[in-house]
């Protein structure tokens, strides 16, 4: 049983999906949780569910592209819970297209949300964690950051950047008791995947047929790995990109 009592966690994009599952996993492990995202109604309902579990939780509405987002999120977490022990950089967006089909608008959104927000929020978090003597950062990368996927140029590029940010930040802060790791999920059944399937005109079963385990992940299965990486059980783990993908990466990308 992982015990994070007395720890404070900030999870970006925790109004739904994997981020919401991480917020629940942290709350169940005894941590206080700052929930964030743009959807205030969803945020309030996640916070209510966490409080029902006996956890301390709060919601701060924000778009991770906002100017000053890192300082705002980190200082709100510290003011509310007294520290920032764990940051999960989870907020992310996906859109399809090769280099010709991808519009500048899609490209800029993906770069801003999936890469630049990690830079901004991690910068503020590391400054705070240094003051406290340590902490953990877990980034949501993707199997598509380790392998190419046809028709998702901007997304795969952004997740490849997250993989490299994780390695570099892991090394830069290895001697400061700040561990930085990522999880690289395969296909997780969330709103993001439902929207992708709708655009493709395919079904969850068809997607699952290409996964060695022949099923999609539940968000909680990714959250369990995030929880491990946030806990002392992973005390010698930093700079890694941890696959949670039902075996996809072991196939070298699995593209037929
Ligand atoms: N699902 C998968 O199969 C899969 C696989 C590999 C990696 N991932 C990665 O895992 C992470 C979570 O994915 P998911 O499947 O849980 O996605 P999701 O269900 O679409 O949830 C995305 C979350 O990000 C937040 N978000 C998006 N844009 C934002 C913005 N501009 N500002 C603030 N928050 C924003 C959303 O909150 P609001 O709408 O409230 O703003 C939401 O809480 C993403 O980084 C994704 O790339 C997912």
């Amino acid at each position: 049983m992982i015990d994070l009592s007395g720890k404070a966690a900030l999870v970006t994009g925790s109004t739904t999906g994997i981020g919401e599952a991480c917020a629940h996993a942290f709350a169940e492990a005894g941590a206080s949780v700052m929930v964030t995202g743009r959807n205030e109604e969803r945020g309030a309902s996640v916070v209510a569910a966490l409080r029902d579990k006996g956890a301390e939780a709060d919601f701060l509405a924000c778009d991770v592209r906002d100017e000053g987002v890192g300082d705002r999120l980190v200082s709100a977490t510290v003011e509310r819970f007294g520290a920032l022990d764990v940051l999960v950089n989870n907020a992310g967006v996906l859109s399809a297209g090769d280099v010709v089909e991808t519009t500048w608008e899609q490209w800029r959104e993906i770069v801003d949300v999936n890469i630049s927000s990690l830079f901004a929020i991690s910068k503020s978090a590391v400054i705070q964690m240094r003051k406290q003597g340590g902490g953990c950062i877990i980034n949501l990368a993707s199997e598509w950051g380790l392998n190419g996927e046809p028709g998702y140029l901007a997304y795969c590029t952004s997740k490849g950047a997250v993989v490299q940010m994780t390695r570099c930040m892991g090394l830069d802060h290895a001697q400061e008791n700040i561990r930085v790791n990522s999880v690289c999920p395969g296909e997780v059944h969330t709103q993001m995947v439902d929207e992708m399937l709708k655009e493709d005109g395919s079904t969850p079963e068809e997607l699952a047929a290409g996964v060695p385990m022949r099923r999609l992940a539940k968000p909680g299965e990714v959250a369990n790995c995030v929880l491990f990486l946030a806990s002392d059980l992973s005390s010698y783990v930093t700079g890694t990109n941890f696959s949670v993908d039902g075996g996809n990466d072991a196939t070298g990308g699995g593209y037929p």
Side-chain angles (χ1 to χ4, degrees), residues 22-223:
C22 290
H24 277 275
F26 288 135
E28 285 161 18
S32 307
V33 188
M34 184 61 83
V35 174
T36 81
R38 293 160 303 176
N39 187 326
E40 300 195 17
E41 205 177 306
R42 284 285 319 148
S45 116
V46 173
V47 165
L50 300 180
R51 288 181 182 161
D52 280 350
K53 289 183 171 169
E56 273 201 278
D58 225 328
F59 175 67
L60 184 68
C62 84
D63 188 313
V64 291
R65 294 167 293 185
D66 290 345
E67 183 79 30
V69 67
D71 287 349
R72 194 168 154 237
L73 283 174
V74 170
S75 58
T77 307
V78 174
E79 268 162 39
R80 178 70 176 79
F81 303 126
L84 173 67
D85 301 295
V86 181
L87 164 65
V88 183
N89 281 313
N90 167 80
V93 287
L94 173 132
S95 59
D98 63 20
V99 72
V100 176
E101 293 154 351
T102 301
T103 64
W104 275 104
E105 197 186 1
Q106 287 172 318
W107 176 264
R108 288 196 187 98
E109 185 191 17
I110 287 211
V111 168
D112 289 349
V113 176
N114 294 7
I115 308 177
S116 302
S117 82
L118 258 77
F119 171 71
I121 302 167
S122 301
K123 185 191 270 288
S124 305
V126 167
I127 292 168
Q128 175 62 29
M129 287 172 180
R130 274 182 176 158
K131 286 188 211 154
Q132 296 170 194
C136 287
I137 299 178
I138 300 107
N139 298 322
L140 265 289
S142 171
E143 185 222 331
W144 290 4
L146 301 172
N147 298 293
E149 178 71 18
Y152 288 91
L153 171 85
Y155 184 80
C156 291
T157 304
S158 73
K159 294 301 181 177
V162 174
V163 164
Q164 280 296 65
M165 285 175 84
T166 301
R167 291 185 180 127
C168 294
M169 286 175 57
L171 295 176
D172 285 341
H173 307 294
Q175 291 165 38
E176 296 182 291
N177 195 30
I178 300 172
R179 295 188 298 107
V180 185
N181 293 290
S182 89
V183 289
C184 297
E187 328 293 358
V188 189
H189 205 170
T190 64
Q191 199 173 288
M192 180 179 276
V193 160
D194 278 336
E195 279 163 20
M196 180 185 86
L197 290 171
K198 207 156 111 195
E199 254 185 57
D200 280 2
S202 54
T203 63
E205 291 71 28
E206 284 167 322
L207 186 61
V211 178
M213 282 191 177
R214 298 288 187 267
R215 67 176 179 84
L216 307 186
K218 295 181 196 120
E221 292 179 289
V222 179

Side-chain angles (χ1 to χ4, degrees), residues 198-242:
K198 207 156 111 195
E199 254 185 57
D200 280 2
S202 54
T203 63
E205 291 71 28
E206 284 167 322
L207 186 61
V211 178
M213 282 191 177
R214 298 288 187 267
R215 67 176 179 84
L216 307 186
K218 295 181 196 120
E221 292 179 289
V222 179
N224 285 340
C225 292
V226 172
L227 185 62
F228 164 72
L229 291 170
S231 77
D232 287 345
L233 290 182
S234 59
S235 52
Y236 201 58
V237 181
T238 200
T240 62
N241 293 285
F242 194 105

